[in-house]
Amino acid sequence: MKIAIVTDSTAYLTPEERREWDIYVLPLSVIFGQESYREEQDLTTADFYEKVKNSEVFPTSSQPAVGETIELFRELSHHYDAIIPILLSSGISGTYQTVVTVAEELQDEVLIYPIDSGISCAPQARAVRLAAMMAKDEQYTAKEIVACVQQLVDRTTAYFIVDDLNNLQRGGRLSAGAALVGSMLKIKPILTFEEKKIVALEKIRTQQKAMKRIEQLFEEDTQTTDGDGYELVIIHANAPEAGEAWRAQIQEKYPKLRTSLAYFGPVIGTHLGQGALGCSWDIVIEKNL
Ligand code: MYR
């Protein structure tokens, strides 16, 4: 069975990865006043963070255009038996719901199985990689891939820390109460996803303490002493040095852990703000197969 794997731009896959694994991408956009840019197509991540610094207006974001989504699925329907789109959490974007609606509209043309990743960025990319590995094999049915990816998605966790909660509050992705308390007390809450939405897990005063607490959560969750069998990713919003320092320090503590560094691109950077750091882990991907 030939299955197309689709994701959205907030998985921030590299062009090489997309080419190697035949992954198709629906772009979300950032908007500065009247100007709209499809992220990483019309505006690079580096240019986005530079633009934010010099812009008088705060950017906003928008989901992929419906027309572009229909066009991509129609095109794929000529080459594939089924399509599996893996999308950012339905609790923070309308993208998943739009794709579900489009899938219903196109049901007589092609089978589409949308998956709500319940997250975004590098942990979403992990689910996409798993789907792509299985699809390349051509031995799995679409339903088998969906079931396997869904298992990974259901246990996925990520923790992140932002410099200023106002970005999230302004974009309506965090409850007003939580943002107010955070900025008033100058705390750095550890944020996470619960039931697809962003919540403050613990209120901690400094970024360093929050990072230590996240490492503790990793240890409690995995019960590992050397990281064997696990992979962990650090994600940064235009803060590569801080991200890399954190990654290297964790790597030193857990020599067998597979670690990597990823980034928050324009759309997610719009809501988290410069300097945000995130961390997510799972069993190594091959263990899912
Ligand atoms: C849209 O306009 O539809 C996109 C809205 C994106 C909201 C992003 C909110 C922050 C997500 C943080 C993800 C952290 C993953 C580790």
Side-chain angles (χ1 to χ4, degrees):
M1 196 171 186
K2 267 197 104 197
I3 298 158
I5 303 303
V6 174
T7 189
D8 61 73
S9 54
T10 72
Y12 302 116
L13 293 168
T14 62
E16 296 74 36
E17 215 167 7
R18 282 185 247 156
R19 259 196 310 275
E20 183 184 346
W21 293 98
D22 291 326
I23 297 165
Y24 300 88
V25 174
L26 289 167
L28 278 83
S29 301
V30 283
I31 300 152
F32 287 85
Q34 302 299 313
E35 300 158 16
S36 175
Y37 304 87
R38 284 169 308 172
E39 65 171 343
E40 297 199 299
Q41 287 187 22
D42 308 329
L43 187 67
T44 65
T45 292
D47 288 346
F48 163 76
Y49 284 109
E50 201 48 44
K51 201 168 165 61
V52 170
K53 258 189 248 159
N54 303 319
S55 170
E56 285 179 3
V57 289
F58 288 111
T60 56
S61 63
S62 78
Q63 53 174 292
V66 178
E68 215 172 319
T69 307
I70 295 177
E71 207 177 301
L72 173 66
F73 291 166
R74 282 228 161 96
E75 171 60 26
L76 293 175
S77 73
H78 301 309
H79 310 282
Y80 293 90
D81 304 310
I83 303 173
I84 304 182
I86 302 170
L87 306 153
L88 80 163
S89 181
S90 60
I92 55 170
S93 172
T95 305
Y96 170 76
Q97 201 42 59
T98 298
V99 168
V100 168
T101 309
V102 169
E104 280 163 13
E105 257 175 56
L106 300 183
Q107 62 184 334
D108 295 334
E109 298 174 46
V110 61
L111 286 169
I112 305 177
Y113 300 88
I115 299 181
D116 179 350
S117 75
I119 199 110
S120 179
C121 306
Q124 177 185 341
R126 195 191 295 128
V128 175
R129 270 181 217 116
L130 175 61
M133 282 165 83
M134 294 180 81
K136 265 261 178 278
D137 202 301
E138 289 193 15
Q139 279 181 35
Y140 297 98
T141 64
K143 284 193 176 152
E144 284 168 337
I145 298 179
V146 170
C148 195
V149 171
Q150 193 61 52
Q151 269 185 12
L152 182 151
V153 159
D154 288 346
R155 63 165 190 266
T156 294
T157 23
Y159 299 98
F160 50 106
I161 324 155
V162 297
D163 249 5
D164 182 356
L165 280 170
N166 283 313
N167 291 299
L168 273 170
Q169 190 195 2
R170 201 171 29 233
R173 264 69 184 188
L174 191 68
S175 75
L180 199 65
V181 171
S183 42
M184 275 168 65
L185 300 178
K186 296 212 178 340
I187 55 170
K188 303 276 178 213
I190 296 179
L191 302 168
T192 191
F193 278 78
E194 260 173 29
E195 290 173 17
K196 311 194 190 305
K197 293 215 169 92
I198 298 174
V199 296
L201 181 76
E202 287 173 19
K203 298 186 172 109
I204 291 182
R205 274 177 192 278
T206 68
Q207 193 185 56
Q208 280 305 319
K209 282 191 182 149
M211 286 154 75
K212 282 277 153 256
R213 177 67 185 127
I214 292 172
E215 287 170 40
Q216 220 175 41
L217 289 166
F218 165 73
E219 206 159 300
E220 282 168 19
D221 180 46
T222 60
Q223 299 287 316
T224 183
T225 50
D226 59 5
D228 195 20
Y230 287 92
E231 53 185 53
L232 173 145
V233 59
I234 298 295
I235 319 158
H236 68 88
N238 204 28
E241 293 87 5
E244 171 53 22
W246 194 14
R247 186 206 63 78
Q249 180 224 311
I250 293 177
Q251 182 69 79
E252 201 180 304
K253 195 162 164 203
Y254 304 97
K256 293 192 173 160
L257 185 63
R258 273 193 212 168
T259 64
S260 58
L261 190 63
Y263 62 92
F264 294 119
V267 166
I268 302 300
T270 293
H271 296 272
L272 296 188
Q274 155 121 8
L277 288 174
C279 179
S280 177
W281 57 82
D282 195 22
I283 52 170
V284 291
I285 199 157
E286 297 82 359
K287 282 201 183 178
N288 290 279
L289 297 170

